[in-house]
Amino acid sequence: LKGKMTGVKALMAALLMGMAVTSCRAPKDVTYFNDLTSGAQKELSSVNDITVRPDDRLSILVVSKDAQLMSLFNLPVVSQRVGQPGVTSSYSNNNDVASYVVDRYGDIQFPVLGTIHIGGMRRAEVADYIATELKSRNLVKDPVVVVDFLNNGVVVLGEVNRPGRVTFDRDRFTLLDAIAGAGDLTIQGQRKDVLVTRTDENGHQTSYRVDLTDAEQTMQSPVYYLQQNDVVYVSPNDVRKRQTTANGNAPLTPSFWISIASLATTIAVLIVK
């Protein structure tokens, strides 16, 4: 009888331990940067500014004291008016400047300068290059060139509150910026295994895994600084996955453990009798 009671106690202890492990494991899985402490310093991955890539759309504005010269290099937006016989073109009245789309070779067609190659350049480098060309060819004596990206963005999918394309107009855009722009991860999002895929100009795709619970691993990842058109995918955690099957999370519910405890108690009573 003593041996039987010992077995029952062991069974009950195992059940209680299982409940404790299940209840205590979750918090660390949903908390960012568990390794950070007050005053901790982490080294970031090499800083990567966004560079010009094919299909990028750029706004390029040349400013000069000579208004006539400015008009040569700042193409106005042309709108199409439909409603009369034929289609006529008219210039907009809001001083908008036409954008430039980078071709597959990294080139754009710029007024007077013709074809110029800007692929792989940073935004500031594009501005300096055009300004230098204008001065060296004696086209403009005092050019100030302002360059902005118009269509940069990344795609964030999976267990986030607002999945979709997150746009940005900064020289640097981090993985955390993208997640914040998507409304943060849902409670069911897998923080320890975020997937980032990147496609280079030659069509080669590389995948990276990031553990957001580990600050050092996250900040030293080659995809901590994102590039345009990166894809971020947050996979669902085990609880979310089990929701796709009938009664998938039943073993994790309190009612399940109460039922097991009740069954164990019944078996114990029968054994004792």
Side-chain angles (χ1 to χ4, degrees), residues 43 50-51 59 76-77 83 88 90 102 108 113 115-116 123 140 157 177 187 193 210 256 258 265:
E43 183 177 349
I50 298 296
T51 58
S59 167
V77 175
T88 61
S90 66
V102 183
I108 61 172
L113 296 182
T115 301
I116 60 175
R123 187 171 60 90
V140 184
L157 302 172
D177 291 327
I187 195 65
D193 190 25
V210 182
F256 174 83
I258 292 173
T265 302

Side-chain angles (χ1 to χ4, degrees), residues 64-75:
S64 171
K65 294 179 180 178
D66 191 327
Q68 290 184 341
L69 286 178
M70 286 175 54
S71 64
L72 291 176
F73 301 101
N74 297 325
L75 299 180

Side-chain angles (χ1 to χ4, degrees), residues 149-219:
F149 289 105
L150 297 180
N151 67 336
N152 277 357
V154 299
V155 175
V156 185
L157 302 172
E159 287 295 331
V160 292
N161 287 297
R162 293 192 301 272
R165 184 172 176 83
V166 179
T167 59
F168 62 93
D169 57 2
R170 285 178 267 170
D171 292 328
R172 301 170 187 172
F173 192 71
T174 69
L175 177 59
L176 301 182
D177 291 327
I179 291 174
D184 200 4
L185 276 65
T186 67
I187 195 65
Q188 293 89 7
Q190 175 59 270
R191 286 149 175 79
K192 298 177 71 68
D193 190 25
V194 174
L195 173 67
V196 180
T197 59
R198 174 171 295 168
T199 304
D200 63 21
E201 297 179 11
N202 298 317
H204 300 147
Q205 187 180 81
T206 306
S207 299
Y208 304 85
R209 299 279 180 175
V210 182
D211 181 359
L212 294 179
T213 68
D214 186 331
E216 183 169 1
Q217 195 263 13
T218 298
M219 296 178 183

Side-chain angles (χ1 to χ4, degrees), residues 25 28 60 65 78 80 84 90 109 115 134 141 147 159 167-168 174 190 194 213 223 227 254-255 269-270:
R25 183 177 54 193
K28 285 189 176 182
I60 303 177
K65 294 179 180 178
V78 178
Q80 302 294 328
Q84 300 177 353
S90 66
Q109 296 295 323
T115 301
L134 293 175
K141 293 182 179 180
V147 178
E159 287 295 331
T167 59
F168 62 93
T174 69
Q190 175 59 270
V194 174
T213 68
V223 290
Q227 296 179 4
S255 59
V269 171
L270 292 175

